[in-house]
Structures are given as structure tokens and as C-alpha cells.
Amino acid sequence: MTEQQQMDLRRDEVEAGAQTGLASPSVDVTSGRQNSLWGDAWRDLRRNPLFWIGAVLGLSFLLMALVPQLFARGADPRDCDLSNSNQKPSAEHWFGFDQQGCDYLANVVHGARNSLIIGLLAVAVVLVLGVVVGAIAGFYGRWLDGLLSRLTDIFYALPLILGALVVLRSGILGRGVVAVAIALAAFGWMTAMRLVRSQVIAVKSSDYVAAARAMGASNRRILVRHILPNAVAPVLVYTTITIGVLIAAEATLTFLGVGLQRPAISWGLQIENGQSLLRTAPHLVLFPSLVLTLTVMAFIMMGDALRDALDPRQRA
């Protein structure tokens, strides 16, 4: 074995011994095996009823977005008859009809797709921006950290809804699903950046990082293989909760008239259209609001459960 191969082997051994979480792994006394942070977290999640409630609701709404025909009882949201305008819920039509005489259950079900796409796409952009900017700022520090931190502070000065409202009203991005998601992500990535930055600063001084550096590992290898796996846990918790927040934010923007526009279908549009008929047809606001609330609650419950499972202080 050559000297270079020996160095590569020792480097891999160092990487194999690196921690994969924020806390030291525990030992399973029944099997004598060492558990990882994620193994311990999954064990705790399985015992948490709030996680299962959130997971079942979240998967149900995700399935609703992917296959709306399974939930719409065969009704077409575009098949409207003015003679049915504003009819109240009945045994045949559970959610009644809207002002145009369209089956409201079908509309609410099909509204899940755009709302979830915006939430998931926006949180994906938030995760990428937060991890990249936070990792670079925390790892390299000095003037680069100062520059990126001040840039983050500038975005912090603008509230999420107000910043997205200004961008969408300017018409630069348009008013489609992607435009709304980007507008929300542009003013929602700062907390993720701060979380990653603080974790990277805490982890980069660890012994196993110093050992990997002594073995000749590059900065990129150290950052990707050693530091980020230890910094990602709180960011995952944050992004899980943020999905629900961004879905609610999309509904708020649409309600204010700067989000999606017809002929798109979304819960925000349904709430905005039904507000003027709240006294005569309250179901037009009640049902999309109820589904929106349950969706937001599902992701928040999963995020809270994940936070408790990944926090070593919650364990005995």
C-alpha cells in the first residue's frame, strides 16, 4: 500500500468516526450497538402522537394535490351552472357551490395543488439559500462573514409579506406559481442562514474537523462531509415549520390581490372571492379556511415533533 493510499484510508477512517448530529450518539443497551442521532430521533418520533397526526394530515393533503380526483368525488371544478349559485352544502354536494355554480368541494381539493407547490418550492429555495450563504459565512468568517451578515440584515429589515407584496406588485416576476414562490423565498431565507452560520461556527472547531484538516482534507471536503451534516438538523426543523408559514403567506398575498389570479385555483383566491358573501354564503370562506388551517397545523406539528426529537435535552 502506497503512502498516498494510507493517507486516504486514514482520512476515510476519520470521516467514518465523525459525528452525524448535534449530540453524541447513544448506546442501545439491549443490542450493544451505537445509535446515531437520527436513529434516536426516529425512535422518539414514533412515540409522538403529534408527529403522526401531522404526518397523516400532511400526506393526505399531498395526495390531494397529486391526485385530486380521489377526493373531488368525480366533480370537475370548471363545470359550473349558475342555477346552483351559492347553494349550501348537502348530502350530494358536501361543500355546496360557489358564486358561479361550481362544485365547491372540487374547487377546494384542486386548490391544494397550487398552494402546496408554492409552499414546497419556496421552502426549497429558502433551504438552498440559507445553507449556502450560512455555510460560507460561518466557515470562512472574517470580512466575508461580515459582508454576508450585513446583507442578511438588510433583508431582515423587510417583513416577509411586505417584501413579497412589493415584488409581486412591481410585475417583475409576473403573478404565477413560480413568481409567488420566489417572492416569498427572497424574503424568507434569513433565519435559515443564521441557523446554519451559528452551527457551522460551533462545529468547525471540533476535534474531528481538526483531525480531518490534519489528514489533508480540503476545505470543501471538510465543509460538506464533516460540518454540514452536523449543522443541518435545526435547519430541517425550521424548514418543516416554514412550509406551513409560506402556504399561509401565499393565501394572504392572494387575499390581498397580489398573488395568484384566476383562472388559477387556490385557497387564497377562494377566501378572497368569498369574503363579500360571508353573511349569505359563509361556506365559501369556511371550507378553504379550514383546509388551509389544517395544512399549516400539519407541518407545524411535524416541525415541533422533529425539533423535540433532535434536541438531546428532551431525552432522559
Side-chain angles (χ1 to χ4, degrees):
M1 182 180 294
T2 65
E3 181 179 353
Q4 181 62 40
Q5 290 174 329
Q6 291 176 351
M7 292 182 63
D8 291 339
L9 179 60
R10 287 196 296 270
R11 181 184 302 165
D12 292 337
E13 289 174 350
V14 170
E15 292 173 355
Q19 296 175 347
T20 57
L22 297 178
S24 298
S26 61
V27 176
D28 188 344
V29 295
T30 58
S31 62
R33 292 181 301 178
Q34 195 177 49
N35 294 330
S36 67
L37 174 70
W38 297 103
D40 290 338
W42 173 238
R43 183 192 62 202
D44 291 342
L45 285 175
R46 287 184 299 177
R47 301 173 181 174
N48 192 333
L50 288 179
F51 169 75
W52 288 112
I53 294 173
V56 170
L57 286 174
L59 289 175
S60 298
F61 291 122
L62 183 60
L63 185 61
M64 183 185 296
L66 294 175
V67 193
Q69 295 82 5
L70 293 178
F71 298 85
R73 305 184 67 196
D76 186 348
R78 307 290 187 185
D79 185 12
C80 307
D81 186 350
L82 285 176
S83 62
N84 295 323
S85 178
N86 293 338
Q87 284 191 18
K88 291 180 170 50
S90 63
E92 293 184 358
H93 301 278
W94 294 352
F95 285 12
F97 293 86
D98 64 9
Q99 194 172 17
Q100 285 74 38
C102 309
D103 186 272
Y104 211 46
L105 173 62
N107 272 270
V108 172
V109 168
H110 281 77
R113 178 172 295 176
N114 282 332
S115 296
L116 283 177
I117 287 176
I118 289 175
L120 294 174
L121 180 59
V123 87
V125 177
V126 165
L127 186 60
V128 171
L129 284 175
V131 169
V132 172
V133 178
I136 293 174
F139 185 75
Y140 292 101
R142 298 184 179 180
W143 67 269
L144 187 57
D145 182 22
L147 176 63
L148 294 177
S149 295
R150 299 296 76 76
L151 177 64
T152 303
D153 292 339
I154 293 174
F155 279 90
Y156 257 130
L158 289 174
L160 173 65
I161 298 297
L162 178 60
L165 188 150
V166 171
V167 171
L168 291 173
R169 180 160 288 180
S170 68
I172 297 175
L173 300 176
R175 298 280 287 275
V177 171
V178 176
V180 175
I182 292 175
L184 289 172
F187 296 93
W189 58 272
M190 298 79 68
T191 301
M193 179 272 183
R194 290 293 189 186
L195 287 171
V196 174
R197 175 183 174 273
S198 62
Q199 291 299 321
V200 169
I201 292 175
V203 172
K204 71 177 183 179
S205 60
S206 300
D207 292 340
Y208 60 87
V209 174
R213 194 184 301 277
M215 297 302 300
S218 64
N219 286 338
R220 180 177 177 274
R221 188 182 184 91
I222 291 173
L223 184 60
V224 174
R225 294 290 300 274
H226 297 282
I227 295 179
L228 284 182
N230 290 274
V232 74
V235 183
L236 288 179
V237 174
Y238 169 75
T239 52
T240 304
I241 297 175
T242 303
I243 293 175
V245 174
L246 292 176
I247 290 174
E250 177 274 324
T252 302
L253 290 173
T254 303
F255 180 81
L256 294 174
V258 295
L260 297 179
Q261 293 180 314
R262 288 186 177 277
I265 302 176
S266 79
W267 297 328
L269 277 172
Q270 291 158 7
I271 296 172
E272 191 272 334
N273 292 329
Q275 64 169 331
S276 60
L277 302 170
L278 188 57
R279 291 187 177 182
T280 58
H283 65 281
L284 298 182
V285 174
L286 174 63
F287 291 121
S289 299
L290 179 61
V291 176
L292 174 63
T293 301
L294 290 175
T295 304
V296 174
M297 285 181 57
F299 287 104
I300 290 178
M301 284 191 291
M302 285 191 290
D304 286 343
L306 186 59
R307 179 199 59 202
D308 294 340
L310 290 174
D311 188 351
R313 293 172 296 182
Q314 300 292 331
R315 303 194 184 100

mmCIF file of all heavy atoms in Angstrom, residues 55-86:
data_model
loop_
_atom_site.group_PDB
_atom_site.id
_atom_site.type_symbol
_atom_site.label_atom_id
_atom_site.label_comp_id
_atom_site.label_asym_id
_atom_site.label_seq_id
_atom_site.Cartn_x
_atom_site.Cartn_y
_atom_site.Cartn_z
ATOM 1 N N ALA A 55 -48.204 14.028 10.287
ATOM 2 C CA ALA A 55 -47.773 13.264 9.116
ATOM 3 C C ALA A 55 -48.962 12.770 8.304
ATOM 4 O O ALA A 55 -48.963 12.834 7.068
ATOM 5 C CB ALA A 55 -46.902 12.092 9.560
ATOM 6 N N VAL A 56 -49.996 12.277 8.991
ATOM 7 C CA VAL A 56 -51.184 11.779 8.286
ATOM 8 C C VAL A 56 -51.880 12.918 7.552
ATOM 9 O O VAL A 56 -52.267 12.787 6.376
ATOM 10 C CB VAL A 56 -52.145 11.095 9.273
ATOM 11 C CG1 VAL A 56 -53.487 10.796 8.606
ATOM 12 C CG2 VAL A 56 -51.540 9.790 9.792
ATOM 13 N N LEU A 57 -52.038 14.063 8.232
ATOM 14 C CA LEU A 57 -52.661 15.211 7.574
ATOM 15 C C LEU A 57 -51.812 15.705 6.400
ATOM 16 O O LEU A 57 -52.337 15.981 5.309
ATOM 17 C CB LEU A 57 -52.853 16.344 8.581
ATOM 18 C CG LEU A 57 -53.972 16.178 9.606
ATOM 19 C CD1 LEU A 57 -53.941 17.309 10.626
ATOM 20 C CD2 LEU A 57 -55.333 16.118 8.922
ATOM 21 N N GLY A 58 -50.502 15.811 6.611
ATOM 22 C CA GLY A 58 -49.624 16.286 5.553
ATOM 23 C C GLY A 58 -49.640 15.375 4.337
ATOM 24 O O GLY A 58 -49.721 15.847 3.192
ATOM 25 N N LEU A 59 -49.576 14.065 4.564
ATOM 26 C CA LEU A 59 -49.622 13.120 3.447
ATOM 27 C C LEU A 59 -50.975 13.147 2.750
ATOM 28 O O LEU A 59 -51.051 12.987 1.529
ATOM 29 C CB LEU A 59 -49.305 11.715 3.955
ATOM 30 C CG LEU A 59 -47.850 11.457 4.373
ATOM 31 C CD1 LEU A 59 -47.704 10.064 4.963
ATOM 32 C CD2 LEU A 59 -46.910 11.624 3.183
ATOM 33 N N SER A 60 -52.034 13.358 3.516
ATOM 34 C CA SER A 60 -53.369 13.432 2.913
ATOM 35 C C SER A 60 -53.483 14.625 1.972
ATOM 36 O O SER A 60 -53.988 14.506 0.850
ATOM 37 C CB SER A 60 -54.435 13.523 4.007
ATOM 38 O OG SER A 60 -54.421 12.373 4.828
ATOM 39 N N PHE A 61 -52.980 15.779 2.426
ATOM 40 C CA PHE A 61 -53.045 16.972 1.571
ATOM 41 C C PHE A 61 -52.086 16.854 0.390
ATOM 42 O O PHE A 61 -52.382 17.365 -0.696
ATOM 43 C CB PHE A 61 -52.749 18.216 2.388
ATOM 44 C CG PHE A 61 -53.826 18.553 3.382
ATOM 45 C CD1 PHE A 61 -53.545 18.658 4.729
ATOM 46 C CD2 PHE A 61 -55.127 18.748 2.960
ATOM 47 C CE1 PHE A 61 -54.535 18.957 5.640
ATOM 48 C CE2 PHE A 61 -56.138 19.046 3.868
ATOM 49 C CZ PHE A 61 -55.842 19.149 5.209
ATOM 50 N N LEU A 62 -50.955 16.194 0.590
ATOM 51 C CA LEU A 62 -50.048 15.970 -0.531
ATOM 52 C C LEU A 62 -50.684 15.056 -1.563
ATOM 53 O O LEU A 62 -50.591 15.313 -2.774
ATOM 54 C CB LEU A 62 -48.740 15.358 -0.014
ATOM 55 C CG LEU A 62 -47.642 15.116 -1.057
ATOM 56 C CD1 LEU A 62 -47.232 16.419 -1.721
ATOM 57 C CD2 LEU A 62 -46.426 14.439 -0.430
ATOM 58 N N LEU A 63 -51.363 14.012 -1.110
ATOM 59 C CA LEU A 63 -52.075 13.120 -2.029
ATOM 60 C C LEU A 63 -53.214 13.867 -2.714
ATOM 61 O O LEU A 63 -53.493 13.644 -3.897
ATOM 62 C CB LEU A 63 -52.605 11.915 -1.257
ATOM 63 C CG LEU A 63 -53.273 10.803 -2.074
ATOM 64 C CD1 LEU A 63 -52.282 10.196 -3.063
ATOM 65 C CD2 LEU A 63 -53.839 9.727 -1.157
ATOM 66 N N MET A 64 -53.858 14.757 -1.979
ATOM 67 C CA MET A 64 -54.926 15.568 -2.559
ATOM 68 C C MET A 64 -54.391 16.431 -3.706
ATOM 69 O O MET A 64 -55.055 16.609 -4.735
ATOM 70 C CB MET A 64 -55.538 16.452 -1.469
ATOM 71 C CG MET A 64 -56.710 17.297 -1.942
ATOM 72 S SD MET A 64 -57.291 18.428 -0.635
ATOM 73 C CE MET A 64 -57.850 17.247 0.594
ATOM 74 N N ALA A 65 -53.177 16.957 -3.523
ATOM 75 C CA ALA A 65 -52.586 17.791 -4.568
ATOM 76 C C ALA A 65 -52.164 16.964 -5.777
ATOM 77 O O ALA A 65 -52.276 17.419 -6.915
ATOM 78 C CB ALA A 65 -51.388 18.546 -4.003
ATOM 79 N N LEU A 66 -51.684 15.740 -5.524
ATOM 80 C CA LEU A 66 -51.191 14.897 -6.615
ATOM 81 C C LEU A 66 -52.335 14.233 -7.381
ATOM 82 O O LEU A 66 -52.308 14.152 -8.607
ATOM 83 C CB LEU A 66 -50.247 13.831 -6.060
ATOM 84 C CG LEU A 66 -48.929 14.335 -5.470
ATOM 85 C CD1 LEU A 66 -48.148 13.192 -4.836
ATOM 86 C CD2 LEU A 66 -48.087 15.012 -6.544
ATOM 87 N N VAL A 67 -53.338 13.746 -6.655
ATOM 88 C CA VAL A 67 -54.446 13.027 -7.294
ATOM 89 C C VAL A 67 -55.759 13.613 -6.788
ATOM 90 O O VAL A 67 -56.467 12.996 -5.974
ATOM 91 C CB VAL A 67 -54.380 11.511 -6.993
ATOM 92 C CG1 VAL A 67 -55.329 10.748 -7.921
ATOM 93 C CG2 VAL A 67 -52.969 10.980 -7.109
ATOM 94 N N PRO A 68 -56.129 14.805 -7.232
ATOM 95 C CA PRO A 68 -57.345 15.446 -6.704
ATOM 96 C C PRO A 68 -58.624 14.689 -7.030
ATOM 97 O O PRO A 68 -59.617 14.829 -6.316
ATOM 98 C CB PRO A 68 -57.321 16.826 -7.377
ATOM 99 C CG PRO A 68 -56.475 16.658 -8.593
ATOM 100 C CD PRO A 68 -55.446 15.640 -8.228
ATOM 101 N N GLN A 69 -58.602 13.879 -8.089
ATOM 102 C CA GLN A 69 -59.816 13.152 -8.461
ATOM 103 C C GLN A 69 -60.277 12.189 -7.372
ATOM 104 O O GLN A 69 -61.470 11.880 -7.269
ATOM 105 C CB GLN A 69 -59.574 12.369 -9.759
ATOM 106 C CG GLN A 69 -59.305 13.231 -10.978
ATOM 107 C CD GLN A 69 -57.854 13.699 -11.063
ATOM 108 O OE1 GLN A 69 -57.020 13.290 -10.246
ATOM 109 N NE2 GLN A 69 -57.557 14.556 -12.030
ATOM 110 N N LEU A 70 -59.342 11.713 -6.540
ATOM 111 C CA LEU A 70 -59.710 10.779 -5.476
ATOM 112 C C LEU A 70 -60.545 11.452 -4.391
ATOM 113 O O LEU A 70 -61.312 10.779 -3.692
ATOM 114 C CB LEU A 70 -58.443 10.189 -4.840
ATOM 115 C CG LEU A 70 -57.583 9.277 -5.710
ATOM 116 C CD1 LEU A 70 -56.350 8.823 -4.933
ATOM 117 C CD2 LEU A 70 -58.381 8.070 -6.176
ATOM 118 N N PHE A 71 -60.427 12.770 -4.255
ATOM 119 C CA PHE A 71 -61.107 13.488 -3.181
ATOM 120 C C PHE A 71 -62.278 14.335 -3.681
ATOM 121 O O PHE A 71 -63.108 14.755 -2.876
ATOM 122 C CB PHE A 71 -60.107 14.397 -2.456
ATOM 123 C CG PHE A 71 -58.975 13.674 -1.798
ATOM 124 C CD1 PHE A 71 -57.834 13.323 -2.523
ATOM 125 C CD2 PHE A 71 -59.036 13.333 -0.458
ATOM 126 C CE1 PHE A 71 -56.778 12.664 -1.909
ATOM 127 C CE2 PHE A 71 -57.995 12.674 0.151
ATOM 128 C CZ PHE A 71 -56.855 12.327 -0.578
ATOM 129 N N ALA A 72 -62.329 14.608 -4.973
ATOM 130 C CA ALA A 72 -63.346 15.511 -5.515
ATOM 131 C C ALA A 72 -64.648 14.808 -5.857
ATOM 132 O O ALA A 72 -65.564 15.448 -6.378
ATOM 133 C CB ALA A 72 -62.802 16.219 -6.757
ATOM 134 N N ARG A 73 -64.729 13.510 -5.599
ATOM 135 C CA ARG A 73 -65.951 12.724 -5.852
ATOM 136 C C ARG A 73 -66.390 12.824 -7.320
ATOM 137 O O ARG A 73 -67.578 12.869 -7.621
ATOM 138 C CB ARG A 73 -67.082 13.170 -4.931
ATOM 139 C CG ARG A 73 -66.758 13.140 -3.452
ATOM 140 C CD ARG A 73 -67.956 13.508 -2.624
ATOM 141 N NE ARG A 73 -69.010 12.502 -2.715
ATOM 142 C CZ ARG A 73 -70.263 12.706 -2.347
ATOM 143 N NH1 ARG A 73 -70.644 13.908 -1.912
ATOM 144 N NH2 ARG A 73 -71.167 11.741 -2.442
ATOM 145 N N GLY A 74 -65.418 12.889 -8.204
ATOM 146 C CA GLY A 74 -65.715 12.890 -9.635
ATOM 147 C C GLY A 74 -66.154 14.219 -10.194
ATOM 148 O O GLY A 74 -66.438 14.323 -11.396
ATOM 149 N N ALA A 75 -66.238 15.256 -9.374
ATOM 150 C CA ALA A 75 -66.701 16.560 -9.851
ATOM 151 C C ALA A 75 -65.562 17.318 -10.520
ATOM 152 O O ALA A 75 -64.395 17.171 -10.170
ATOM 153 C CB ALA A 75 -67.266 17.382 -8.696
ATOM 154 N N ASP A 76 -65.928 18.149 -11.493
ATOM 155 C CA ASP A 76 -64.964 18.982 -12.219
ATOM 156 C C ASP A 76 -65.072 20.415 -11.698
ATOM 157 O O ASP A 76 -66.166 21.004 -11.712
ATOM 158 C CB ASP A 76 -65.270 18.945 -13.712
ATOM 159 C CG ASP A 76 -64.219 19.674 -14.548
ATOM 160 O OD1 ASP A 76 -63.388 20.401 -13.971
ATOM 161 O OD2 ASP A 76 -64.237 19.515 -15.789
ATOM 162 N N PRO A 77 -63.976 21.021 -11.239
ATOM 163 C CA PRO A 77 -64.070 22.387 -10.708
ATOM 164 C C PRO A 77 -64.425 23.423 -11.760
ATOM 165 O O PRO A 77 -64.846 24.537 -11.416
ATOM 166 C CB PRO A 77 -62.666 22.637 -10.145
ATOM 167 C CG PRO A 77 -61.773 21.710 -10.903
ATOM 168 C CD PRO A 77 -62.599 20.490 -11.164
ATOM 169 N N ARG A 78 -64.275 23.074 -13.058
ATOM 170 C CA ARG A 78 -64.588 24.014 -14.134
ATOM 171 C C ARG A 78 -66.001 23.814 -14.676
ATOM 172 O O ARG A 78 -66.458 24.597 -15.515
ATOM 173 C CB ARG A 78 -63.595 23.840 -15.281
ATOM 174 C CG ARG A 78 -62.126 23.916 -14.870
ATOM 175 C CD ARG A 78 -61.715 25.300 -14.462
ATOM 176 N NE ARG A 78 -60.266 25.391 -14.232
ATOM 177 C CZ ARG A 78 -59.657 26.472 -13.772
ATOM 178 N NH1 ARG A 78 -60.354 27.563 -13.521
ATOM 179 N NH2 ARG A 78 -58.347 26.476 -13.572
ATOM 180 N N ASP A 79 -66.691 22.793 -14.212
ATOM 181 C CA ASP A 79 -68.048 22.510 -14.676
ATOM 182 C C ASP A 79 -69.033 23.271 -13.793
ATOM 183 O O ASP A 79 -69.336 22.860 -12.674
ATOM 184 C CB ASP A 79 -68.317 21.012 -14.620
ATOM 185 C CG ASP A 79 -69.673 20.648 -15.219
ATOM 186 O OD1 ASP A 79 -70.287 21.523 -15.867
ATOM 187 O OD2 ASP A 79 -70.117 19.500 -15.011
ATOM 188 N N CYS A 80 -69.518 24.394 -14.281
ATOM 189 C CA CYS A 80 -70.321 25.302 -13.464
ATOM 190 C C CYS A 80 -71.714 25.496 -14.073
ATOM 191 O O CYS A 80 -71.893 25.431 -15.291
ATOM 192 C CB CYS A 80 -69.640 26.659 -13.331
ATOM 193 S SG CYS A 80 -67.921 26.547 -12.751
ATOM 194 N N ASP A 81 -72.663 25.746 -13.202
ATOM 195 C CA ASP A 81 -74.047 26.009 -13.605
ATOM 196 C C ASP A 81 -74.579 27.117 -12.706
ATOM 197 O O ASP A 81 -74.709 26.942 -11.492
ATOM 198 C CB ASP A 81 -74.890 24.742 -13.452
ATOM 199 C CG ASP A 81 -76.304 24.926 -13.986
ATOM 200 O OD1 ASP A 81 -76.692 26.068 -14.298
ATOM 201 O OD2 ASP A 81 -77.032 23.921 -14.090
ATOM 202 N N LEU A 82 -74.888 28.271 -13.281
ATOM 203 C CA LEU A 82 -75.320 29.422 -12.491
ATOM 204 C C LEU A 82 -76.596 29.162 -11.709
ATOM 205 O O LEU A 82 -76.865 29.853 -10.713
ATOM 206 C CB LEU A 82 -75.504 30.638 -13.413
ATOM 207 C CG LEU A 82 -74.214 31.308 -13.903
ATOM 208 C CD1 LEU A 82 -74.546 32.428 -14.884
ATOM 209 C CD2 LEU A 82 -73.415 31.848 -12.732
ATOM 210 N N SER A 83 -77.360 28.180 -12.109
ATOM 211 C CA SER A 83 -78.580 27.873 -11.355
ATOM 212 C C SER A 83 -78.263 27.302 -9.975
ATOM 213 O O SER A 83 -79.124 27.284 -9.093
ATOM 214 C CB SER A 83 -79.445 26.870 -12.136
ATOM 215 O OG SER A 83 -78.759 25.636 -12.323
ATOM 216 N N ASN A 84 -77.032 26.830 -9.786
ATOM 217 C CA ASN A 84 -76.620 26.292 -8.488
ATOM 218 C C ASN A 84 -75.852 27.318 -7.651
ATOM 219 O O ASN A 84 -75.282 26.962 -6.610
ATOM 220 C CB ASN A 84 -75.720 25.069 -8.686
ATOM 221 C CG ASN A 84 -76.447 23.915 -9.343
ATOM 222 O OD1 ASN A 84 -77.628 23.682 -9.083
ATOM 223 N ND2 ASN A 84 -75.749 23.181 -10.206
ATOM 224 N N SER A 85 -75.844 28.571 -8.076
ATOM 225 C CA SER A 85 -75.014 29.594 -7.439
ATOM 226 C C SER A 85 -75.278 29.694 -5.940
ATOM 227 O O SER A 85 -76.425 29.836 -5.498
ATOM 228 C CB SER A 85 -75.276 30.950 -8.101
ATOM 229 O OG SER A 85 -74.516 31.966 -7.482
ATOM 230 N N ASN A 86 -74.173 29.586 -5.163
ATOM 231 C CA ASN A 86 -74.175 29.775 -3.705
ATOM 232 C C ASN A 86 -75.061 28.793 -2.938
ATOM 233 O O ASN A 86 -75.432 29.059 -1.790
ATOM 234 C CB ASN A 86 -74.603 31.213 -3.345
ATOM 235 C CG ASN A 86 -73.589 32.243 -3.783
ATOM 236 O OD1 ASN A 86 -72.417 31.934 -3.981
ATOM 237 N ND2 ASN A 86 -74.033 33.484 -3.956
#
